[in-house]
Amino acid sequence: MRKSVLAVFVVLLLFSCGKKEVKQVSLDSKISVEAFDLVEKIRDAFIKKNLVVIQQNSTEAGYRDIMANKKPYDSVELTFTPRWVEIEKEQTTLNVTWKSKWTVSGKTVADRGMAVMVLEGRPLKVSKILRSSPFIYPEQ
């Protein structure tokens, strides 16, 4: 009797430990990941001075905002930390804190700030940069 109860218990235990339910990734989560990836792609392209990638991943107005830097530079280090994402029907807004280190003629200038990047369309493209742009050489 004891063995049959133990056998039934083991069988029930095996059936109760079946497959776990896999939750689907929400649309908002997918859009957030796409926004983070897009901003990192543009950051990397800006550092490498790859204008084609920047142009492909931004609207005409967004491209102008990114390329607003009038001062030539030798190199730049940029780090982005995403802080907040707002997803609406027509646009996605991404708040990013950033740090930069610009080198011009051997002189290094550091800056930091918070940018609000407006992304539109499917696939997402940068359409505006509000507040302090990380892509502009800092004023001294």
Side-chain angles (χ1 to χ4, degrees), residues 39 61-66 68 80 86 88 91-98 112-120 126-136:
V39 170
Y63 182 76
R64 281 193 307 264
D65 283 353
I66 294 168
F80 288 168
E86 282 187 34
E88 299 170 4
Q91 68 183 21
T92 300
T93 306
L94 177 62
N95 294 6
V96 176
T97 57
W98 55 268
R112 63 187 172 120
M114 177 147 187
V116 178
M117 298 186 185
V118 180
L119 314 171
E120 296 177 346
V126 174
S127 64
K128 288 184 230 173
I129 299 177
L130 308 173
R131 295 189 63 177
S132 64
S133 175
F135 303 108
I136 297 177

Side-chain angles (χ1 to χ4, degrees), residues 15-27:
F15 282 113
S16 67
C17 296
K19 294 181 182 178
K20 291 186 178 183
E21 183 180 337
V22 177
K23 293 185 179 181
Q24 296 296 320
V25 178
S26 71
L27 180 60

Side-chain angles (χ1 to χ4, degrees), residues 62-81:
Y63 182 76
R64 281 193 307 264
D65 283 353
I66 294 168
M67 301 311 296
N69 186 38
K70 302 287 189 247
K71 188 168 185 171
Y73 58 94
D74 299 329
S75 68
V76 63
E77 294 176 29
L78 281 175
T79 57
F80 288 168
T81 306

Side-chain angles (χ1 to χ4, degrees), residues 48-68:
K48 295 177 180 176
K49 299 180 182 182
N50 188 341
L51 303 181
V52 174
V53 172
I54 295 171
Q55 195 168 25
Q56 289 173 344
N57 291 289
S58 58
T59 64
E60 189 175 322
Y63 182 76
R64 281 193 307 264
D65 283 353
I66 294 168
M67 301 311 296

